[in-house]
Amino acid sequence: MDLDNFIKEYQTISLQIKESLDNDNLDSLDMLVEQREKVIKNIDIANFDIEELKEVYEKCGIFKLDKLILEEIKLQKNQLRKKIFEVENGKKVAKGYNNLNTKAVFLTKEI
């Protein structure tokens, strides 16, 4: 298989990854990333010239595509962190409120 076919396959899988991220279809993401890793391993095994690889990589616009994927992953990761933080704070508030209620009930029974 020649370099152009490897790059086209890599680009196709990268476009599918970007589409999955845009549509919040995270279930198919693992499979697509594994496919892309296989293509990268095949490129490594084929021992293509690094300069030729860089030239084709930039010519096909894959560098920009990979950068967009990375930015989207960072954005979704930050959103997920915010959601986790909100859930943790909600649990802390609920726990504190529940503790306050049990103390208040205990005090009223004692009086």
Side-chain angles (χ1 to χ4, degrees), residues 91-110:
K91 286 181 180 180
K92 287 178 185 177
V93 168
K95 185 177 180 180
Y97 182 74
N98 289 337
N99 286 341
L100 180 64
N101 281 340
T102 56
K103 288 179 184 177
V105 169
F106 178 70
L107 290 176
T108 57
K109 288 184 179 178
E110 219 174 83

PDB file of all heavy atoms in Angstrom, residues 91-110:
ATOM      1  N   LYS A  91     -23.793  17.008  45.927  1.00  0.00           N
ATOM      2  CA  LYS A  91     -23.752  15.965  46.957  1.00  0.00           C
ATOM      3  C   LYS A  91     -23.324  16.543  48.301  1.00  0.00           C
ATOM      4  O   LYS A  91     -23.874  16.189  49.342  1.00  0.00           O
ATOM      5  CB  LYS A  91     -22.789  14.843  46.545  1.00  0.00           C
ATOM      6  CG  LYS A  91     -23.327  13.943  45.468  1.00  0.00           C
ATOM      7  CD  LYS A  91     -22.327  12.850  45.138  1.00  0.00           C
ATOM      8  CE  LYS A  91     -22.844  11.924  44.065  1.00  0.00           C
ATOM      9  NZ  LYS A  91     -21.866  10.863  43.742  1.00  0.00           N
ATOM     10  N   LYS A  92     -22.339  17.431  48.280  1.00  0.00           N
ATOM     11  CA  LYS A  92     -21.874  18.048  49.523  1.00  0.00           C
ATOM     12  C   LYS A  92     -22.979  18.885  50.157  1.00  0.00           C
ATOM     13  O   LYS A  92     -23.182  18.846  51.374  1.00  0.00           O
ATOM     14  CB  LYS A  92     -20.646  18.919  49.263  1.00  0.00           C
ATOM     15  CG  LYS A  92     -19.386  18.145  48.989  1.00  0.00           C
ATOM     16  CD  LYS A  92     -18.222  19.074  48.689  1.00  0.00           C
ATOM     17  CE  LYS A  92     -16.992  18.291  48.292  1.00  0.00           C
ATOM     18  NZ  LYS A  92     -15.873  19.178  47.930  1.00  0.00           N
ATOM     19  N   VAL A  93     -23.683  19.641  49.342  1.00  0.00           N
ATOM     20  CA  VAL A  93     -24.765  20.478  49.855  1.00  0.00           C
ATOM     21  C   VAL A  93     -25.875  19.609  50.439  1.00  0.00           C
ATOM     22  O   VAL A  93     -26.384  19.876  51.528  1.00  0.00           O
ATOM     23  CB  VAL A  93     -25.309  21.408  48.743  1.00  0.00           C
ATOM     24  CG1 VAL A  93     -26.602  22.074  49.168  1.00  0.00           C
ATOM     25  CG2 VAL A  93     -24.267  22.449  48.369  1.00  0.00           C
ATOM     26  N   ALA A  94     -26.238  18.564  49.714  1.00  0.00           N
ATOM     27  CA  ALA A  94     -27.304  17.672  50.195  1.00  0.00           C
ATOM     28  C   ALA A  94     -26.892  16.993  51.490  1.00  0.00           C
ATOM     29  O   ALA A  94     -27.700  16.865  52.420  1.00  0.00           O
ATOM     30  CB  ALA A  94     -27.642  16.632  49.132  1.00  0.00           C
ATOM     31  N   LYS A  95     -25.647  16.572  51.562  1.00  0.00           N
ATOM     32  CA  LYS A  95     -25.161  15.909  52.774  1.00  0.00           C
ATOM     33  C   LYS A  95     -25.165  16.882  53.948  1.00  0.00           C
ATOM     34  O   LYS A  95     -25.593  16.539  55.056  1.00  0.00           O
ATOM     35  CB  LYS A  95     -23.754  15.362  52.541  1.00  0.00           C
ATOM     36  CG  LYS A  95     -23.218  14.547  53.690  1.00  0.00           C
ATOM     37  CD  LYS A  95     -21.850  13.970  53.354  1.00  0.00           C
ATOM     38  CE  LYS A  95     -21.330  13.151  54.519  1.00  0.00           C
ATOM     39  NZ  LYS A  95     -20.005  12.588  54.225  1.00  0.00           N
ATOM     40  N   GLY A  96     -24.726  18.096  53.723  1.00  0.00           N
ATOM     41  CA  GLY A  96     -24.742  19.098  54.777  1.00  0.00           C
ATOM     42  C   GLY A  96     -26.151  19.442  55.205  1.00  0.00           C
ATOM     43  O   GLY A  96     -26.436  19.600  56.399  1.00  0.00           O
ATOM     44  N   TYR A  97     -27.058  19.535  54.263  1.00  0.00           N
ATOM     45  CA  TYR A  97     -28.455  19.836  54.580  1.00  0.00           C
ATOM     46  C   TYR A  97     -29.086  18.700  55.372  1.00  0.00           C
ATOM     47  O   TYR A  97     -29.803  18.935  56.341  1.00  0.00           O
ATOM     48  CB  TYR A  97     -29.227  20.085  53.286  1.00  0.00           C
ATOM     49  CG  TYR A  97     -30.672  20.440  53.501  1.00  0.00           C
ATOM     50  CD1 TYR A  97     -31.041  21.691  53.967  1.00  0.00           C
ATOM     51  CD2 TYR A  97     -31.680  19.503  53.251  1.00  0.00           C
ATOM     52  CE1 TYR A  97     -32.364  22.018  54.168  1.00  0.00           C
ATOM     53  CE2 TYR A  97     -33.016  19.817  53.453  1.00  0.00           C
ATOM     54  CZ  TYR A  97     -33.349  21.083  53.908  1.00  0.00           C
ATOM     55  OH  TYR A  97     -34.657  21.401  54.118  1.00  0.00           O
ATOM     56  N   ASN A  98     -28.792  17.473  54.965  1.00  0.00           N
ATOM     57  CA  ASN A  98     -29.329  16.313  55.684  1.00  0.00           C
ATOM     58  C   ASN A  98     -28.778  16.245  57.106  1.00  0.00           C
ATOM     59  O   ASN A  98     -29.496  15.920  58.043  1.00  0.00           O
ATOM     60  CB  ASN A  98     -29.028  15.018  54.942  1.00  0.00           C
ATOM     61  CG  ASN A  98     -29.851  14.879  53.676  1.00  0.00           C
ATOM     62  OD1 ASN A  98     -30.913  15.496  53.547  1.00  0.00           O
ATOM     63  ND2 ASN A  98     -29.354  14.102  52.734  1.00  0.00           N
ATOM     64  N   ASN A  99     -27.517  16.536  57.279  1.00  0.00           N
ATOM     65  CA  ASN A  99     -26.926  16.544  58.623  1.00  0.00           C
ATOM     66  C   ASN A  99     -27.553  17.631  59.485  1.00  0.00           C
ATOM     67  O   ASN A  99     -27.798  17.430  60.664  1.00  0.00           O
ATOM     68  CB  ASN A  99     -25.412  16.748  58.551  1.00  0.00           C
ATOM     69  CG  ASN A  99     -24.687  15.520  58.077  1.00  0.00           C
ATOM     70  OD1 ASN A  99     -25.228  14.420  58.120  1.00  0.00           O
ATOM     71  ND2 ASN A  99     -23.465  15.704  57.604  1.00  0.00           N
ATOM     72  N   LEU A 100     -27.818  18.775  58.895  1.00  0.00           N
ATOM     73  CA  LEU A 100     -28.445  19.872  59.636  1.00  0.00           C
ATOM     74  C   LEU A 100     -29.845  19.487  60.081  1.00  0.00           C
ATOM     75  O   LEU A 100     -30.241  19.755  61.215  1.00  0.00           O
ATOM     76  CB  LEU A 100     -28.479  21.128  58.760  1.00  0.00           C
ATOM     77  CG  LEU A 100     -29.095  22.373  59.380  1.00  0.00           C
ATOM     78  CD1 LEU A 100     -28.254  22.832  60.567  1.00  0.00           C
ATOM     79  CD2 LEU A 100     -29.213  23.469  58.350  1.00  0.00           C
ATOM     80  N   ASN A 101     -30.614  18.824  59.222  1.00  0.00           N
ATOM     81  CA  ASN A 101     -31.976  18.404  59.560  1.00  0.00           C
ATOM     82  C   ASN A 101     -31.978  17.382  60.699  1.00  0.00           C
ATOM     83  O   ASN A 101     -32.818  17.444  61.584  1.00  0.00           O
ATOM     84  CB  ASN A 101     -32.681  17.806  58.344  1.00  0.00           C
ATOM     85  CG  ASN A 101     -33.187  18.881  57.404  1.00  0.00           C
ATOM     86  OD1 ASN A 101     -33.340  20.034  57.796  1.00  0.00           O
ATOM     87  ND2 ASN A 101     -33.430  18.510  56.168  1.00  0.00           N
ATOM     88  N   THR A 102     -31.060  16.444  60.668  1.00  0.00           N
ATOM     89  CA  THR A 102     -31.036  15.423  61.720  1.00  0.00           C
ATOM     90  C   THR A 102     -30.646  16.039  63.054  1.00  0.00           C
ATOM     91  O   THR A 102     -31.163  15.652  64.087  1.00  0.00           O
ATOM     92  CB  THR A 102     -30.070  14.275  61.362  1.00  0.00           C
ATOM     93  OG1 THR A 102     -28.770  14.814  61.117  1.00  0.00           O
ATOM     94  CG2 THR A 102     -30.558  13.499  60.177  1.00  0.00           C
ATOM     95  N   LYS A 103     -29.764  17.009  63.064  1.00  0.00           N
ATOM     96  CA  LYS A 103     -29.395  17.682  64.307  1.00  0.00           C
ATOM     97  C   LYS A 103     -30.559  18.498  64.836  1.00  0.00           C
ATOM     98  O   LYS A 103     -30.811  18.529  66.033  1.00  0.00           O
ATOM     99  CB  LYS A 103     -28.176  18.575  64.079  1.00  0.00           C
ATOM    100  CG  LYS A 103     -26.893  17.815  63.883  1.00  0.00           C
ATOM    101  CD  LYS A 103     -25.735  18.751  63.630  1.00  0.00           C
ATOM    102  CE  LYS A 103     -24.478  17.930  63.338  1.00  0.00           C
ATOM    103  NZ  LYS A 103     -23.351  18.787  63.022  1.00  0.00           N
ATOM    104  N   ALA A 104     -31.264  19.164  63.945  1.00  0.00           N
ATOM    105  CA  ALA A 104     -32.402  19.980  64.371  1.00  0.00           C
ATOM    106  C   ALA A 104     -33.499  19.103  64.949  1.00  0.00           C
ATOM    107  O   ALA A 104     -34.105  19.440  65.963  1.00  0.00           O
ATOM    108  CB  ALA A 104     -32.937  20.797  63.203  1.00  0.00           C
ATOM    109  N   VAL A 105     -33.768  17.956  64.351  1.00  0.00           N
ATOM    110  CA  VAL A 105     -34.779  17.041  64.866  1.00  0.00           C
ATOM    111  C   VAL A 105     -34.351  16.517  66.223  1.00  0.00           C
ATOM    112  O   VAL A 105     -35.149  16.424  67.151  1.00  0.00           O
ATOM    113  CB  VAL A 105     -35.023  15.877  63.870  1.00  0.00           C
ATOM    114  CG1 VAL A 105     -35.864  14.796  64.492  1.00  0.00           C
ATOM    115  CG2 VAL A 105     -35.655  16.413  62.607  1.00  0.00           C
ATOM    116  N   PHE A 106     -33.096  16.206  66.378  1.00  0.00           N
ATOM    117  CA  PHE A 106     -32.595  15.687  67.648  1.00  0.00           C
ATOM    118  C   PHE A 106     -32.747  16.737  68.741  1.00  0.00           C
ATOM    119  O   PHE A 106     -33.150  16.437  69.855  1.00  0.00           O
ATOM    120  CB  PHE A 106     -31.128  15.270  67.477  1.00  0.00           C
ATOM    121  CG  PHE A 106     -30.508  14.772  68.737  1.00  0.00           C
ATOM    122  CD1 PHE A 106     -30.885  13.563  69.286  1.00  0.00           C
ATOM    123  CD2 PHE A 106     -29.545  15.543  69.393  1.00  0.00           C
ATOM    124  CE1 PHE A 106     -30.312  13.105  70.462  1.00  0.00           C
ATOM    125  CE2 PHE A 106     -28.971  15.090  70.569  1.00  0.00           C
ATOM    126  CZ  PHE A 106     -29.355  13.865  71.103  1.00  0.00           C
ATOM    127  N   LEU A 107     -32.443  17.994  68.429  1.00  0.00           N
ATOM    128  CA  LEU A 107     -32.551  19.063  69.424  1.00  0.00           C
ATOM    129  C   LEU A 107     -34.000  19.310  69.825  1.00  0.00           C
ATOM    130  O   LEU A 107     -34.297  19.549  70.996  1.00  0.00           O
ATOM    131  CB  LEU A 107     -31.927  20.347  68.883  1.00  0.00           C
ATOM    132  CG  LEU A 107     -30.405  20.340  68.748  1.00  0.00           C
ATOM    133  CD1 LEU A 107     -29.932  21.641  68.095  1.00  0.00           C
ATOM    134  CD2 LEU A 107     -29.723  20.159  70.083  1.00  0.00           C
ATOM    135  N   THR A 108     -34.914  19.250  68.876  1.00  0.00           N
ATOM    136  CA  THR A 108     -36.318  19.497  69.222  1.00  0.00           C
ATOM    137  C   THR A 108     -36.871  18.367  70.060  1.00  0.00           C
ATOM    138  O   THR A 108     -37.731  18.588  70.907  1.00  0.00           O
ATOM    139  CB  THR A 108     -37.176  19.668  67.965  1.00  0.00           C
ATOM    140  OG1 THR A 108     -37.049  18.525  67.141  1.00  0.00           O
ATOM    141  CG2 THR A 108     -36.777  20.910  67.198  1.00  0.00           C
ATOM    142  N   LYS A 109     -36.420  17.174  69.869  1.00  0.00           N
ATOM    143  CA  LYS A 109     -36.906  16.049  70.681  1.00  0.00           C
ATOM    144  C   LYS A 109     -36.386  16.135  72.101  1.00  0.00           C
ATOM    145  O   LYS A 109     -37.028  15.719  73.029  1.00  0.00           O
ATOM    146  CB  LYS A 109     -36.495  14.708  70.034  1.00  0.00           C
ATOM    147  CG  LYS A 109     -37.247  14.395  68.783  1.00  0.00           C
ATOM    148  CD  LYS A 109     -36.868  13.036  68.244  1.00  0.00           C
ATOM    149  CE  LYS A 109     -37.657  12.741  66.996  1.00  0.00           C
ATOM    150  NZ  LYS A 109     -37.306  11.462  66.405  1.00  0.00           N
ATOM    151  N   GLU A 110     -35.204  16.667  72.261  1.00  0.00           N
ATOM    152  CA  GLU A 110     -34.602  16.758  73.563  1.00  0.00           C
ATOM    153  C   GLU A 110     -35.294  17.811  74.431  1.00  0.00           C
ATOM    154  O   GLU A 110     -35.465  17.639  75.626  1.00  0.00           O
ATOM    155  CB  GLU A 110     -33.112  17.097  73.426  1.00  0.00           C
ATOM    156  CG  GLU A 110     -32.260  16.369  74.419  1.00  0.00           C
ATOM    157  CD  GLU A 110     -30.806  16.631  74.125  1.00  0.00           C
ATOM    158  OE1 GLU A 110     -30.284  17.669  74.547  1.00  0.00           O
ATOM    159  OE2 GLU A 110     -30.203  15.766  73.450  1.00  0.00           O
TER     160      GLU A 110
END
